[in-house]
Amino acid sequence: MSLRCGRMAYTNVVPLYAAFDCGVLEYPGSLVSGVPAELNAMLADGSLDLSPVSTMAWAQHADAFALLPDLCIGARDEVVSVLLASERPPALLDGATVYVTDESASGYNLLRVLLERRYGVRASYERAHDVLPRARSGQPALLIGDAAIDAFETIDPQHIYDLGRLWRDWTQTQPVFGVWAARREILERRPAEVRACMLAMTDAYSWSRANRERVIERAQAQRLRSAAFYESYFDKLNFTYHLAAQTGLAAFCRELRAIGAIDRIPSVVPENLDAVAC
């Protein structure tokens, strides 16, 4: 049986999968789509062998989740799809109730880090499946993924705070929201297959960079927005787990430890798949 692999169900990762969706490349595993929280849980309970997961989930389970190289889901500055919608500035949210989506662990904990460590305020958090209506009614809310992008059309831009930009302005490092991880026992037993999946992903991303129009067409088929929007949006994102991303993830882990969200700070150096596959 091929490896069971997760795929995030947002348009932000279309550049990573368009080559497979267009039939240009074949992915050497079975793909299961879900929001980050679903994929986090499935990798933890063994329903998946390999998946993109929230950085928070990886940091919590670093002993069991082997960090894979080359790819991540991050941004250079603003991210557009991880937002705080609030009529009050973040520094004035002490004691406020903030509604948070149950889709993402990284977004929620990044908001906690920013409020507690950057602004010195403590809010209370109430989880809800669909927080966009609350955000539209003026209540502080964390928006993730396509719901966050949709918020720009209906919420006053003065009341929207991009968490990627808030993080970048504060730490001078890149925000990283997701990484690729494999269950450690899978990496030990089936290293060549893990390596093949990751090589396919990087090949697919290389294809996307040379075929932007087809990538945008795939994104529009999934969620109709202007080509200009997707052109700008994808340019803001970073899918390469390079040194700058590793530095950003290390800084995020230090802040997670500072607010007590994780017990220890894991290494952000990825596995050497060339070595384990030999």
Side-chain angles (χ1 to χ4, degrees):
M1 184 174 70
S2 62
L3 292 185
R4 303 161 298 176
C5 305
R7 169 180 177 164
M8 287 191 180
Y10 295 144
T11 52
N12 64 345
V13 294
V14 168
L16 295 172
Y17 295 97
F20 307 126
D21 296 338
C22 291
V24 176
L25 295 175
E26 183 175 353
Y27 187 73
S30 59
L31 287 169
V32 178
S33 184
V35 299
E38 293 170 337
L39 301 181
N40 298 344
M42 293 176 73
L43 191 66
D45 69 16
S47 301
L48 291 175
D49 301 314
L50 178 159
S51 184
V53 291
S54 299
T55 49
M56 176 62 194
W58 164 76
Q60 284 179 312
H61 302 284
D63 289 340
F65 291 0
L67 180 62
L68 300 178
D70 300 327
L71 296 177
C72 69
I73 302 171
R76 295 172 179 79
D77 187 336
E78 64 179 3
V79 64
V80 181
S81 52
V82 185
L83 307 175
L84 169 67
S86 174
E87 294 184 351
R88 282 184 278 171
L92 300 182
L93 288 177
D94 197 35
T97 296
V98 179
Y99 292 91
V100 298
T101 172
D102 53 6
E103 294 181 4
S104 170
S106 291
Y108 162 62
N109 282 284
L110 176 57
L111 178 60
R112 281 191 60 202
V113 163
L114 288 166
L115 292 183
E116 293 180 28
R117 299 281 292 165
R118 175 173 177 175
Y119 297 105
V121 301
R122 288 184 178 272
S124 61
Y125 301 93
E126 184 167 328
R127 290 194 175 276
H129 180 64
D130 185 4
V131 300
L132 186 56
R134 296 184 183 278
R136 286 172 172 156
S137 69
Q139 298 169 295
L142 172 68
L143 301 167
I144 301 289
D146 289 297
I149 296 171
D150 292 342
F152 279 104
E153 300 175 354
T154 55
I155 297 176
D156 186 337
Q158 294 185 348
H159 298 154
I160 293 178
Y161 301 87
D162 187 300
L163 297 198
R165 173 163 290 178
L166 294 183
W167 170 265
R168 177 76 185 209
D169 289 348
W170 180 45
T171 68
Q172 302 302 305
T173 68
Q174 292 190 5
V176 181
F177 299 94
V179 293
W180 264 254
R183 293 180 60 80
R184 198 164 292 280
E185 70 269 23
I186 294 296
L187 180 60
E188 293 171 354
R189 287 194 292 111
R190 304 169 67 177
E193 292 170 85
V194 172
R195 183 170 182 268
C197 287
M198 294 308 293
L199 284 176
M201 292 295 304
T202 54
D203 286 347
Y205 181 48
S206 295
W207 179 87
S208 288
R209 297 176 71 179
N211 295 273
R212 178 61 69 91
E213 289 185 4
R214 294 188 68 183
V215 173
I216 291 174
E217 289 173 0
R218 292 300 307 181
Q220 289 176 314
Q222 187 169 325
R223 199 95 169 195
L224 185 59
R225 301 184 180 107
S226 72
F229 167 81
Y230 280 117
E231 187 78 31
S232 172
Y233 178 43
F234 291 147
D235 281 344
K236 298 177 189 298
L237 301 179
N238 169 50
F239 296 110
T240 304
Y241 190 54
H242 45 37
L243 183 58
Q246 292 181 33
T247 302
L249 180 55
F252 185 47
C253 289
R254 290 195 295 272
E255 294 302 330
L256 290 175
R257 181 69 185 87
I259 65 170
I262 58 176
D263 295 330
R264 64 182 182 85
I265 301 172
S267 169
V268 299
V269 177
E271 299 287 336
N272 182 347
L273 296 187
D274 290 331
V276 297
C278 291

